[in-house]
Amino acid sequence: MLDLRLIREQTEFVKERLGSRGDNYDELIDQIVSLDEKRRKIIAEVENLKHRRNLVSKEIGVMMKEGKDVTALREEMRQVGDQINELDALLRNVESELERLTLFVPNIPHESVPVGRDESGNKIVRVWGEPKEFDFEPKPHWEIGEELGIIDFYRGVKLSGSRFYGLKGLGATLERALINFMLDLHTKEHGYTEVFLPFLVKPYCMEGTGQLPKFSEEMYWCERDNLWLIPTAEVSVTNLHREEILDAEDLPLKYVSYSACFRREAGAAGKDIKGVIRVHQFNKVELVKITTPEQSYEELESMVRDACHVLELLKLPHRVVLLCTGDLGFSASKTYDIEVWMPGMNRWLEISSCSNCEDFQARRMNLRYRPYRGAKPRYAHTLNGSGVAVGRTMAAILENYQQKDGSIVLPEVLRTYLKGVERIG
RNA sequence: GGAGCGAUGCCCGAGUGGACGAAGGGACCCGGCUGGAAACCGGGUAGGGCUCAAAAAGCCCUCCGGGGUUCGAAUCCCCGUCGCUCCGCCA
């Protein structure tokens, strides 16, 4: 959520910056500005009346003790009270509409974000490693997984429908090993605190991180209990300290969390239909930081490095991409994607996305910190990034480590997590 | 799922219709005392909004959240959320 004051006082700036995302928000912003004006007018009026009522009510109390007649004043105040109720009701309507609209406004891109229409405007920041040369035609991971009997697409679909899959034997073990490897790396070497949180959350959590109200179609909803399945642990972890005022000396808070992620992929019919890269349920290890505005961009850089470290240790070639304004997510001010090389698919594949949301989410969830003793609270900055997507990492391992004979030689760093197993097949 | 009880400031806790943003205690901060400290003494310590260029100041709101009754609500009524206790069920 953007600061209403910013929208009010720098309307043109806000419109222009939002416009760089590729959609026009002028009309929405104009509606917000005019509702805000209306709101302030009503407030001025109703507060005057309340002030008067407070004074007179006190006086009535005093007069009653003195045995004076107060019927006339009482009657007058009853009328004032009616007016207040009317105005308050009006104000509630205006405020709820204002809030509703404001929740649909995306975050303002950071000034360092390149302006561009779509992913063609993204900038490659750096590349790590080189795509391996194969002396045979490398296969895509879905063929490898099926041939080795470690990924079961058919039965995943039998159980739950399209875009679900199952793992078996060393496939299941590898998935689990990857999760543990990533969690250990981030807790032991990068200083994150591990948390394990609910996968089902209240609607206000989804609103807090920006999935609701705009992206309800993308998520699974348990209607009976009005709970939502998280599309990423970003939701549960970032909301962990919602409505709190944190001490500055505790910042930055750095959390890492494993979670299953659930996505309806509503707008992706027919896209990436093969393999495990676009499915309704997948595992992810997520990084979240809560920090100060002064530190947040440094923290974004180090978060990207922490995520890349996973891929470096796995010796998977990857590159870091700075997203342009048109490719930026709703809540983000600045985002780096990390893309891994998939020799079987012959393309780069997003395996992590690290964003600084500045105070956009913090404002939605009322997450603040106190810069120093006695100071006014300020909104914190929140960051999130995959560290990294587990299913896609498994796919990348299958494709990058495949051998001519169809077997997989497992990355060395995983061997302690695989009880010494060195290859599959 | 049933029954009952509860939610007050940073923490504990009083208040059950009128001067209450809220007694008292603790904690913390500042000052005094001291060679220094403890004890003691004095003072202070919530959030949001509106008016405003801003500051200052004033006003409004907030005693879990939302409605209502009333001239006036922390206090009375209704709804919701969360917590506790007992019963039932359950991995």
Side-chain angles (χ1 to χ4, degrees):
Chain A
M1 191 153 63
L2 299 183
D3 187 0
L4 247 190
R5 185 166 294 152
L6 181 74
I7 296 177
R8 183 196 305 154
E9 290 170 3
Q10 303 199 52
T11 311
E12 288 314 307
F13 167 79
V14 169
K15 283 180 180 174
E16 190 208 309
R17 297 296 295 147
L18 291 179
S20 74
R21 283 172 167 273
D23 292 313
N24 192 313
Y25 291 92
D26 291 3
E27 201 181 318
L28 182 56
I29 295 299
D30 285 337
Q31 279 180 55
I32 288 169
V33 168
S34 90
L35 267 179
D36 175 54
E37 229 166 273
K38 197 167 165 188
R39 166 181 155 266
R40 279 158 41 228
K41 214 179 132 194
I42 299 168
I43 287 173
E45 205 174 331
V46 76
E47 285 193 352
N48 258 329
L49 291 173
K50 283 181 178 174
H51 179 45
R52 179 159 154 68
R53 179 174 73 179
N54 288 346
L55 293 178
V56 176
S57 288
K58 276 183 187 178
E59 207 183 320
I60 287 174
V62 174
M63 286 169 73
M64 282 172 69
K65 270 188 190 134
E66 294 169 349
K68 290 183 183 159
D69 178 40
V70 295
T71 42
L73 275 181
R74 241 191 220 185
E75 179 50 33
E76 195 195 331
M77 283 309 104
R78 173 200 290 277
Q79 282 169 20
V80 170
D82 288 346
Q83 282 182 62
I84 289 172
N85 283 343
E86 247 172 70
L87 287 171
D88 267 344
L90 187 62
L91 183 62
R92 275 199 298 278
N93 287 339
V94 169
E95 282 186 329
S96 73
E97 178 65 2
L98 184 60
E99 201 201 337
R100 195 186 69 79
L101 293 179
T102 310
L103 287 173
F104 280 93
V105 179
N107 202 356
I108 291 179
H110 188 254
E111 54 188 13
S112 65
V113 172
V115 175
R117 232 178 208 313
D118 51 38
E119 61 176 37
S120 64
N122 296 346
K123 295 251 183 307
I124 297 165
V125 176
R126 59 181 179 268
V127 181
W128 186 94
E130 270 179 45
K132 188 179 159 188
E133 295 291 332
F134 289 86
D135 55 5
F136 57 96
E137 184 69 23
K139 294 174 185 169
H141 65 274
W142 54 88
E143 286 179 18
I144 304 168
E146 240 165 8
E147 281 162 16
L148 291 172
I150 58 172
I151 305 180
D152 191 340
F153 293 101
Y154 173 76
R155 292 191 181 83
V157 173
K158 179 165 79 174
L159 292 174
S160 307
S162 67
R163 294 197 192 278
F164 285 94
Y165 67 98
L167 295 172
K168 190 173 148 190
L170 285 173
T173 310
L174 178 57
E175 181 90 358
R176 184 157 55 90
L178 283 169
I179 293 167
N180 284 331
F181 160 66
M182 291 178 199
L183 287 171
D184 282 349
L185 177 67
H186 294 307
T187 52
K188 289 175 183 164
E189 291 190 35
H190 301 152
Y192 292 78
T193 302
E194 184 175 350
V195 288
F196 184 75
L197 302 171
F199 296 171
L200 285 162
V201 297
K202 302 247 188 203
Y204 55 71
C205 292
M206 289 297 185
E207 198 176 280
T209 32
Q211 281 76 18
L212 288 180
K214 198 171 176 182
F215 305 102
S216 59
E217 293 298 308
E218 291 300 324
M219 297 178 302
Y220 290 97
W221 178 43
C222 303
E223 183 174 16
R224 186 188 286 257
D225 301 292
N226 197 16
L227 289 168
W228 296 74
L229 272 166
I230 55 171
T232 157
E234 167 199 346
V235 178
S236 41
V237 182
T238 312
N239 276 284
L240 202 54
H241 296 286
R242 72 187 339 269
E243 278 146 50
E244 292 183 23
I245 300 173
L246 304 167
D247 286 335
E249 62 240 42
D250 295 334
L251 303 182
L253 292 174
K254 295 167 67 175
Y255 291 114
V256 59
S257 184
Y258 156 77
S259 89
C261 304
F262 304 88
R263 300 187 181 179
R264 293 187 67 236
E265 300 294 347
K271 198 174 168 189
D272 299 324
I273 209 67
K274 291 215 161 195
V276 304
I277 64 172
R278 190 176 296 276
V279 288
H280 291 311
Q281 177 186 328
F282 61 95
N283 291 313
K284 185 154 61 71
V285 168
E286 182 78 0
L287 306 172
V288 167
K289 294 184 183 183
I290 299 172
T291 184
T292 63
E294 289 75 18
Q295 287 177 300
S296 68
Y297 279 95
E298 274 167 53
E299 295 292 348
L300 177 62
E301 297 299 324
S302 64
M303 177 180 273
V304 173
R305 287 198 297 273
D306 294 339
C308 284
H309 197 194
V310 173
L311 301 174
E312 286 162 22
L313 290 174
L314 291 170
K315 298 197 167 78
L316 291 170
H318 58 277
R319 63 183 193 184
V320 177
V321 176
L322 173 59
L323 298 194
C324 72
T325 50
D327 210 17
L328 213 51
F330 182 77
S331 299
S333 275
K334 183 173 184 175
T335 299
Y336 291 103
D337 275 4
I338 303 168
E339 299 178 337
V340 69
W341 176 248
M342 301 290 280
M345 298 174 80
N346 195 36
R347 58 170 278 205
W348 295 96
L349 176 69
E350 178 189 334
I351 200 164
S352 171
S353 189
C354 301
S355 301
N356 185 356
C357 297
E358 299 197 3
D359 64 6
F360 185 83
Q361 296 179 324
R363 192 170 259 118
R364 285 172 165 248
M365 60 178 77
N366 200 20
L367 167 60
R368 295 171 294 173
Y369 76 100
R370 205 181 294 282
Y372 54 92
R373 178 176 284 285
K376 284 275 173 201
R378 296 168 75 192
Y379 289 111
H381 278 198
T382 61
L383 295 86
N384 64 79
S386 347
V388 296
V390 178
R392 289 186 175 186
T393 304
M394 156 118 70
I397 287 172
L398 297 187
E399 294 198 9
N400 281 277
Y401 283 85
Q402 60 183 304
Q403 309 297 308
K404 198 167 189 175
D405 64 4
S407 66
I408 304 295
V409 174
L410 292 160
E412 272 168 50
V413 283
L414 290 180
R415 298 208 179 147
T416 52
Y417 294 92
L418 291 165
K419 299 225 157 51
V421 176
E422 292 179 12
R423 61 164 58 212
I424 305 177

